[in-house]
Amino acid sequence: MNHSNAWLQFGLFVLSLVLVTKPLGLHLMQVLDVRGRTFLDPVVKPFERITYRLCGIDPEQEQSWIGYTLSLLMFSLVGLLFTYFVLRFQHLLPLNPQHLPGVEPDLALNTAISFTTNTNWQSYGGEGTLSAFSQMVGLALHNFTSAAAGIGVAAALVRGLARHTASTIGSFWTDLIRCTYYLFVPVCGVFALVLVSQGMIQNFKPYDTAKVIDSTPIQVPKVDEKGQAVLAADGRTPVLEKKTVETQTIVQGPMASQVAIKMFGTNGGGYTNANAAHPFENPTPLSNFLQMLSIFAIPSALTYYLGRMVKNARHGWAVWTTMFVLFVGGTLVAWKFEAAGNPIHQQAGVSATDGNLEGKEVRFGVFNSALFATITTDASCGAVNAMHDSFTPIGGLVPLFNLQTGEVIFGGVGAGLYGMLIFVVLAVFIAGLMVGRTPEYLGKKIEAIDVKLVMLVLMALAAATLGLTAWAAVSPWGQAGLNNVGPHGFSEMLYAYSSAVGNNGSAFAGLTANPADGDVRYNLTLGGGMLIGRFFMIVPILALAGNLASKKRLPASAGTFRTEGLTFVVLLLGTVILVGALTHLPALAVGPVVEHFLVKAGSLF
Amino acid sequence: MSSKTLSFFDRGILSQAAADAFRKLHPKAQLKNPVMFVTLVGATLAFGQLFTSQDPLGYVLQIAFWLLFTVVFSNFAESVAEGRGKAQARALRDSRRQLVARRRRKDGTFESVDASQLQKGDVVSVTARETIPGDGEVIEGAASVDESAITGESAPVIREAGGDRSAVTGGTLVLSDTLLIRVTTRPGEGFLDHMISLVEGATRQKTPNELALTILLSSLTVIFLLVILTLKPFGLYSQVTFSITTLIALLVCLIPTTIGGLLSAIGIAGMDRLLQRNVLAMSGRAVEAAGDIDVLLLDKTGTITLGNRQASDFVSAPGVGRDRLAEAAQLASLADETPEGRSIVVLAKEKFNLRGRELTTSHTFVPFTAQTRMSGIDLPAAGSGQPARSIRKGAADSVVRWIESQGGTCPAEVRTAVDGISRQGGTPLVVAEGRTVLGVIALKDVVKGGIKERFAQLRSMGIRTVMITGDNPLTAAAIAAEAGVDDFLAQATPEMKLARIRAEQGAGHLVAMTGDGTNDAPALAQADVGVAMNTGTQAAKEAGNMVDLDSNPTKLIEIVEIGKQLLITRGALTTFSIANDVAKYFAIIPAMLVGAFPAIAPLNIMGLKTPYSAILSAVIFNALVIVALIPLALKGVAYRPMGAAAMLRRNLLIYGLGGVLVPFVGIKLIDLLLTSLGLA
């Protein structure tokens, strides 16, 4: 395997990431300031003004944290219900050339939650379940707005830090509209065109049917005349029947426009079930590279925004560096273990030099799959170009651990920054004491109420991930969805709930969350996990923003705890790893760690 | 104070604390400390497992006992911290048993009543050898009072009606004369009562930072509780049975018992450290605030300079020899018992070898008065042809007026010298004989040795010093430059002090100051840390949040350091406690899984002998580390003034990295010991 090529690509990626951070960060400073100016003003400003007028919004009217929170919650609820009904009634709505039926209630709910929370967990099977209208309206709406809302929350928190003795933290409506108009729509428009240039499809045609050259015999679940799966005597196992594949359905649709926002807004919900592994959804190495870059672009730029807004650019870069180190570390571990391959494969005579290619697109190979997997789970994107389920145990542990840090390694748009700032507050509180002063972060004293809010988030996330996994692990419905047994099966469940709570959306693809027997519990528990992961984070964060904004700012002196430089980066790294590891280590031990040692000893699952 | 020299590790205190440690096992006493409460519940459950567990009995029994010991050790730490204060409180209580007060009736006669019945506003009479029955203000008389019961200082102090020395404290002893005192506090609320409850820790409340830390520790406990509760179902799925005893052991190892067990001891010890320096903090909050101080308002006199000015030079008038000036100055100062006067005699002796002479002839000393602002001596004409001499020294304008009244004039050179001395921060005293001006004595403030270095240290810690002085701006600037303070407030009035504090606070600073007079009270109350001198008035003592029993204003700097040390100790032990968890996981997780999955044996990187010995070693380490850290918690981590960045690096390395590494060694050693003793 050509390592120098991989290193070159890695270097190119890092360089590009560094290069986009500052310009995009500067753009964000203007977008997130209601009086900011951008080069898009001549074109976009009229639309912005009309929107304000139509919605009766005074763009300069700022909100308290409670006002901001209520607006966000209300907007999310309305959006959630809208999508739910679009999915339920997609058979009555236009742009459904495949005549796909309305979506079942639990699946529709799960999907509506999934997109409202910027998770894009897909219990449904992409092109086989949803019409173009459902995707373009029901889902894409959230791809834009949930991303914009995430940025808004991060901006509100940054404003809380930057302001002092203030009662407001910005306007949700202004943030939402400006992020959508000045950031997502224009960038995604251009990005979609670039993707089309790479061969990605963009049309409203019905799916093509092609006759295959080699007919393949397969086993599929037997379906009765109503389209319901026929179950065996135990009422759970679907009855299988033999069929021969003679034709192949080839997906068509407005893919490039969907993919642009799916990546740039760290949404991750694929147009196709195969997501970015599908040749239409990720046609070339360049499209693969650009998709990876677009995932990290906004989260990375937001750290620059943070630094500039709090008038401490070095702090922004310190946060960036922490994220970067965690990202590089994860990538190298995943790459190393994927490149080393599976010892059992090798015993069976598979060449060790290729690494573990199971579940990977040979077009991308080991390195680009490991890199993509790390990026998509660092950021809460969730798009995949390889099946994480087929990674080696430690290769799969990296994405799993990334999810469990709370998606703070660059993270989702906005969510990554506000998630990381939780760890910053925690690190400042614990270590800040060690300089002999009441801990302060950027001149704001960290007091009992702030610690309470931060810990509330961490407790909620841990409770949801571990609690739901535990429930599924000992329940028949939970075990029924597994594709594998033993520790690998456990990893599938742990991954699913970590992904849901982390609002990531990727899956250890083996898990069947939407079983043929119609059991709703995976859909509902995952939906619950996504809601907790999104809103049990956002509400305390906005409260924290409001509380920080109201505080006095203490002037810095030689006795002040510095939130920049190497010491701080090391401290923050330690906090993220330690808190993440201490909370999830036993679960990881039961899953991938045990599996790693068992695979070495020759067992497969 | 009688118990001042008492060590924390005095035999009496330790044995008392050991008994208290078991008494405090009462669940109600543990409720205020969630971490330890969970540990206690865990220990109880572990004892319950003795009857149902399938693990070896010896293992369960040892786990249960060590969990119990974890709580006991934490109680012990708290009791030791309280011990010294309790001993002190006992001594204080003894000093005030069954006092009888002579209370004035309305008709002016006196009646004997029990001191505990004295009400606010009552007037009592106290004479020599009697103990003052309650806090109050002297309204008549002056007396020397032995306040050693409170300050530990046996030299008597003068208390008199009017002025800044009118406050007396209940429990102190009148040595001479009689005082008429108006009681100013209600029974049971006096200074001594307050002091007793403070040193005993009875009124201890959680400080804001302690509260925040408790929230953090409780939340971590909840998170680890979740981790353990879900581990059971994870085990069920994996077909591994995790025994309840082992799960409890893991839980207690993971929750932050080290800091949880030492947190209150650290707080108590912080107040105690102040007490050892004879500073009485009215609340733990004040101690904590001291660590946050970034502006110190320091009175010049006594803090920055020695209390008194000293003669530093003689500048003679034109046509007058310096020795003549020195001789006259010495003569005029012979009877001047003020330190300034004595320093003139000494300087004349040192510079011109003029010995202090016995005056044989009859003479008259002219003492200093506020009206004349001069002092001097009148010598009659001596037989051997010496004319009568009349020498005066004093403030320039007064002396000049005096010679002018006799028809003399002051040479311009003398005026220049006077201005020059003032400009350099000195005080000029003009000496004249008859109608001739002889010259000027320069008195200078003497800046305390080492104070400049101290201020430089403070600056590196991010603390700014502001000198408060009644001097004019010129003088103040000169002393400020010499002492190395960052700023000064010249010709300061109490109102200006208050305004300055408000301005600093408005800019986000936290301010500390010392004060003693009644007119300092508003500023003391406004300051974040206000240290009242014990010699000061009642109003000042009530306004401040600390009282310095030694009345030494320099101590403000130490107070700040103690506050910082307190916070650092908390942070260091929290970091250490959390970092410890890494090693405990490496001890316990492989031990729990290796039975079902023998392949994971390489994960046991410490090479612990058996699963049982691994878990037991982690639990024992977890308990013993509390004991091992008690001295650190009580004495505070070593503190050296340095910038925040350097301090953070240092402490992160010691307590963060050390916290990760130490338990690996500790657990391994305990494992070796256990297996060699055959205990596991």
Side-chain angles (χ1 to χ4, degrees), chain A residues 20-344:
Chain A
V20 299
T21 300
K22 185 176 172 179
L24 192 55
L26 287 171
H27 183 62
L28 276 168
M29 288 175 70
Q30 299 302 321
V31 172
L32 291 166
D33 177 358
V34 66
R35 297 191 185 164
R37 290 169 174 279
T38 72
F39 65 97
L40 296 164
D41 282 4
V43 186
V44 182
K45 200 88 195 167
F47 291 100
E48 188 193 359
R49 285 217 186 90
I50 290 170
T51 313
Y52 290 143
R53 202 162 309 143
L54 284 178
C55 303
I57 296 167
D58 174 2
E60 306 230 350
Q61 178 72 44
E62 292 217 339
Q63 294 171 301
S64 68
W65 79 264
I66 296 180
Y68 201 105
T69 310
L70 290 178
S71 301
L72 185 144
L73 291 179
M74 201 171 69
F75 181 79
S76 301
L77 179 68
V78 171
L80 195 159
L81 292 175
F82 171 76
T83 300
Y84 175 78
F85 287 112
V86 166
L87 299 183
R88 293 284 289 130
F89 301 109
Q90 67 172 357
H91 54 290
L92 306 177
L93 294 165
L95 288 180
N96 187 357
Q98 293 304 110
H99 304 292
L100 294 163
V103 181
E104 292 299 312
D106 62 305
L107 182 59
L109 181 65
N110 178 287
T111 307
I113 291 175
S114 170
F115 281 76
T116 308
T117 57
N118 197 256
T119 311
N120 296 25
W121 169 269
Q122 293 170 296
S123 275
Y124 65 93
E127 70 276 27
T129 317
L130 300 188
S131 70
F133 183 84
S134 294
Q135 298 231 26
M136 286 188 77
V137 178
L139 302 189
L141 165 81
H142 292 294
N143 282 353
F144 284 94
T145 57
S146 70
I151 294 182
V153 174
L157 181 56
V158 172
R159 288 182 195 122
L161 285 165
R163 295 174 179 182
H164 61 97
T165 45
S167 57
T168 59
I169 53 171
S171 157
F172 171 72
W173 305 112
T174 314
D175 286 343
L176 182 73
I177 289 166
R178 287 185 62 88
C179 280
T180 310
Y181 285 16
Y182 287 95
L183 183 64
F184 287 116
V185 172
V187 173
C188 290
V190 175
F191 190 26
L193 287 178
V194 173
L195 291 173
V196 168
S197 81
Q198 293 301 302
M200 196 176 287
I201 55 169
Q202 178 76 12
N203 60 44
F204 292 107
K205 289 197 293 197
Y207 297 172
D208 280 345
T209 306
K211 195 161 171 57
V212 296
I213 301 167
D214 256 350
S215 58
T216 330
I218 54 163
Q219 284 196 318
V220 292
K222 194 174 173 184
V223 188
D224 60 19
E225 57 274 13
K226 285 189 212 146
Q228 296 289 318
V230 179
L231 299 179
D234 66 354
R236 286 206 349 244
T237 327
V239 174
L240 301 178
E241 61 181 348
K242 282 205 168 115
K243 273 192 176 166
T244 311
V245 177
E246 306 277 358
T247 58
Q248 184 185 0
T249 308
I250 297 175
V251 64
Q252 296 292 339
M255 203 178 274
S257 58
Q258 291 289 106
V259 168
I261 184 63
K262 153 190 146 189
M263 293 301 179
F264 194 56
T266 64
N267 291 290
Y271 195 89
T272 62
N273 200 19
N275 210 313
H278 193 287
F280 281 176
E281 207 161 332
N282 198 357
T284 66
L286 182 60
S287 76
N288 189 57
F289 181 86
L290 290 177
Q291 289 193 30
M292 292 192 295
L293 185 62
S294 63
I295 296 175
F296 269 2
I298 296 178
S300 174
L302 274 170
T303 62
Y304 184 82
Y305 169 77
L306 165 74
R308 286 293 297 269
M309 289 298 287
V310 300
K311 298 198 169 50
N312 184 348
R314 291 186 61 209
H315 174 58
W317 284 112
V319 172
W320 186 90
T321 308
T322 310
M323 294 173 165
F324 180 72
V325 171
L326 287 165
F327 154 64
V328 172
T331 307
L332 295 183
V333 172
W335 180 23
K336 176 180 155 48
F337 279 89
E338 289 312 299
N342 186 328
I344 296 172

Side-chain angles (χ1 to χ4, degrees), chain A residues 214-527:
Chain A
D214 256 350
S215 58
T216 330
I218 54 163
Q219 284 196 318
V220 292
K222 194 174 173 184
V223 188
D224 60 19
E225 57 274 13
K226 285 189 212 146
Q228 296 289 318
V230 179
L231 299 179
D234 66 354
R236 286 206 349 244
T237 327
V239 174
L240 301 178
E241 61 181 348
K242 282 205 168 115
K243 273 192 176 166
T244 311
V245 177
E246 306 277 358
T247 58
Q248 184 185 0
T249 308
I250 297 175
V251 64
Q252 296 292 339
M255 203 178 274
S257 58
Q258 291 289 106
V259 168
I261 184 63
K262 153 190 146 189
M263 293 301 179
F264 194 56
T266 64
N267 291 290
Y271 195 89
T272 62
N273 200 19
N275 210 313
H278 193 287
F280 281 176
E281 207 161 332
N282 198 357
T284 66
L286 182 60
S287 76
N288 189 57
F289 181 86
L290 290 177
Q291 289 193 30
M292 292 192 295
L293 185 62
S294 63
I295 296 175
F296 269 2
I298 296 178
S300 174
L302 274 170
T303 62
Y304 184 82
Y305 169 77
L306 165 74
R308 286 293 297 269
M309 289 298 287
V310 300
K311 298 198 169 50
N312 184 348
R314 291 186 61 209
H315 174 58
W317 284 112
V319 172
W320 186 90
T321 308
T322 310
M323 294 173 165
F324 180 72
V325 171
L326 287 165
F327 154 64
V328 172
T331 307
L332 295 183
V333 172
W335 180 23
K336 176 180 155 48
F337 279 89
E338 289 312 299
N342 186 328
I344 296 172
H345 288 180
Q346 286 153 21
Q347 281 155 26
V350 177
S351 161
T353 51
D354 289 339
N356 174 28
L357 278 175
E358 182 192 326
K360 291 187 180 64
E361 264 283 279
V362 272
R363 295 185 295 139
F364 303 126
V366 165
F367 173 72
N368 266 313
S369 301
L371 180 61
F372 199 111
T374 310
I375 291 173
T376 197
T377 50
D378 276 344
S380 78
C381 181
V384 292
N385 77 349
M387 297 301 118
H388 298 176
D389 199 25
S390 304
F391 275 33
T392 59
I394 302 298
L397 184 141
V398 170
L400 192 47
F401 182 77
N402 289 340
L403 303 177
Q404 291 170 342
T405 58
E407 298 290 11
V408 298
I409 310 169
F410 293 104
V413 287
L417 183 65
Y418 61 69
M420 186 53 110
L421 290 187
I422 285 188
F423 285 104
V424 172
V425 171
L426 194 63
V428 165
F429 180 74
I430 297 173
L433 280 173
M434 285 197 291
V435 304
R437 300 241 304 229
T438 302
E440 58 196 65
Y441 174 35
L442 296 170
K444 303 293 180 74
K445 261 194 185 174
I446 302 302
E447 294 161 303
I449 173 81
D450 309 299
V451 175
K452 211 179 273 182
L453 291 169
V454 164
M455 292 313 289
L456 186 67
V457 174
L458 293 178
M459 282 194 283
L461 297 187
T465 311
L466 294 175
L468 293 172
T469 307
W471 186 15
V474 292
S475 308
W477 61 264
Q479 294 176 4
L482 300 181
N483 190 30
N484 299 86
V485 294
H488 198 80
F490 180 78
S491 298
E492 287 177 358
M493 289 182 287
L494 183 63
Y495 194 103
Y497 289 107
S498 300
S499 173
V501 174
N503 289 162
N504 181 281
S506 67
F508 237 36
L511 191 78
T512 308
N514 197 36
D517 66 4
D519 193 297
V520 299
R521 278 171 287 191
Y522 259 120
N523 275 337
L524 295 186
T525 49
L526 287 167

Side-chain angles (χ1 to χ4, degrees), chain B residues 75-396:
Chain B
N75 291 343
F76 179 69
E78 191 182 74
S79 299
V80 172
E82 287 168 347
R84 205 149 54 167
K86 284 206 167 130
Q88 237 151 349
R90 262 195 304 280
L92 288 171
R93 265 207 203 91
D94 289 346
S95 72
R96 56 172 328 182
R97 260 190 296 237
Q98 293 145 7
L99 281 181
V100 176
R102 266 179 295 115
R103 181 165 64 181
R104 190 166 69 179
R105 290 206 192 88
K106 280 205 179 102
D107 58 8
T109 60
F110 287 88
E111 58 177 348
S112 288
V113 294
D114 194 89
S116 62
Q117 289 172 10
L118 286 178
Q119 290 303 317
K120 211 170 161 174
D122 284 352
V123 174
V124 294
S125 161
V126 188
T127 49
R129 310 309 311 163
E130 284 180 343
T131 304
I132 297 172
D135 293 0
E137 199 153 341
V138 181
I139 52 174
E140 208 179 295
S144 57
V145 179
D146 174 5
E147 295 194 337
S148 60
I150 291 171
T151 62
E153 172 59 57
S154 54
V157 292
I158 302 295
R159 293 289 177 226
E160 58 194 351
D164 284 350
R165 290 196 291 182
S166 61
V168 288
T169 313
T172 55
L173 188 68
V174 175
L175 294 177
S176 67
D177 307 291
T178 300
L179 293 176
L180 215 52
I181 298 164
R182 178 182 294 119
V183 177
T184 51
T185 52
R186 276 193 287 274
E189 292 177 9
F191 187 68
L192 201 60
D193 299 290
H194 198 57
M195 191 162 162
I196 290 172
S197 69
L198 277 173
V199 296
E200 244 183 356
T203 53
R204 224 179 85 77
Q205 279 180 327
K206 285 207 171 98
T207 60
N209 176 257
E210 239 178 322
L211 209 63
L213 199 52
T214 307
I215 290 171
L216 174 81
L217 301 180
S218 309
S219 315
L220 285 176
T221 306
V222 170
I223 289 178
F224 287 123
L225 210 55
L226 281 164
V227 169
I228 301 303
L229 285 177
T230 53
L231 201 49
K232 186 81 186 166
F234 293 172
L236 282 177
Y237 169 89
S238 314
Q239 290 156 355
V240 195
T241 319
F242 298 133
S243 83
I244 304 280
T245 315
T246 302
L247 287 175
I248 295 171
L250 179 57
L251 173 65
V252 174
C253 283
L254 293 180
I255 62 175
T257 47
T258 312
I259 178 66
L262 294 171
L263 188 58
S264 73
I266 295 170
I268 298 168
M271 288 187 76
D272 191 76
R273 270 201 297 284
L274 274 182
L275 204 58
Q276 298 311 304
R277 286 169 179 75
N278 257 350
V279 176
L280 199 59
M282 295 303 162
S283 68
R285 184 187 279 257
V287 187
E288 214 172 86
D292 287 347
I293 292 302
D294 55 2
V295 175
L296 289 183
L297 297 192
L298 298 169
D299 276 326
K300 183 197 76 178
T301 310
T303 312
I304 297 170
T305 61
L306 294 171
N308 315 297
R309 307 189 140 208
Q310 303 206 327
S312 63
D313 200 9
F314 296 112
V315 184
S316 54
V320 180
R322 280 181 73 198
D323 49 346
R324 189 181 159 207
L325 167 65
E327 189 260 350
Q330 192 184 43
L331 265 180
S333 307
L334 278 179
D336 185 348
E337 282 302 316
T338 61
E340 288 87 350
R342 256 178 278 148
S343 77
I344 295 171
V345 175
V346 170
L347 187 73
K349 188 167 74 186
E350 280 174 357
K351 281 208 167 173
F352 300 96
N353 209 14
L354 297 167
R355 308 208 128 265
R357 290 149 296 174
E358 281 302 309
L359 290 165
T360 47
T361 49
S362 64
H363 57 269
T364 322
F365 284 112
V366 181
F368 178 90
T369 67
Q371 282 75 40
T372 60
R373 294 169 66 211
M374 294 187 298
S375 64
I377 189 168
D378 289 332
L379 297 167
S384 54
Q386 265 198 7
R389 297 173 72 182
S390 184
I391 308 170
R392 293 290 182 273
K393 69 173 204 298

Side-chain angles (χ1 to χ4, degrees), chain A residues 426-427 429-431 455 574-583, chain B residues 213 216-217 219-221 224 253-260 570-585 622 625 629 655-661 663:
Chain A
L426 194 63
F429 180 74
I430 297 173
M455 292 313 289
T575 310
V576 173
I577 294 175
L578 221 57
V579 173
L582 292 180
T583 315
Chain B
L213 199 52
L216 174 81
L217 301 180
S219 315
L220 285 176
T221 306
F224 287 123
C253 283
L254 293 180
I255 62 175
T257 47
T258 312
I259 178 66
R570 264 188 215 146
L573 290 185
T574 307
T575 309
F576 185 81
S577 191
I578 296 173
N580 270 203
D581 282 4
V582 177
K584 292 174 192 164
Y585 264 135
N622 192 50
V625 80
L629 289 174
Y655 299 99
L657 191 62
V660 173
L661 298 178

Side-chain angles (χ1 to χ4, degrees), chain B residues 515-586:
Chain B
D516 51 8
T518 301
N519 51 20
D520 281 334
L524 278 172
Q526 178 73 34
D528 300 281
V529 172
V531 183
M533 301 293 106
N534 190 46
T535 51
T537 60
Q538 199 65 36
K541 278 157 88 172
E542 276 168 21
N545 44 18
M546 290 190 195
V547 177
D548 179 15
L549 300 172
D550 294 341
S551 306
N552 169 11
T554 320
K555 242 192 246 168
L556 198 49
I557 299 172
E558 282 174 61
I559 292 172
V560 169
E561 291 184 352
I562 289 172
K564 284 196 177 296
Q565 202 187 21
L566 172 78
L567 293 170
I568 296 173
T569 309
R570 264 188 215 146
L573 290 185
T574 307
T575 309
F576 185 81
S577 191
I578 296 173
N580 270 203
D581 282 4
V582 177
K584 292 174 192 164
Y585 264 135
F586 271 102

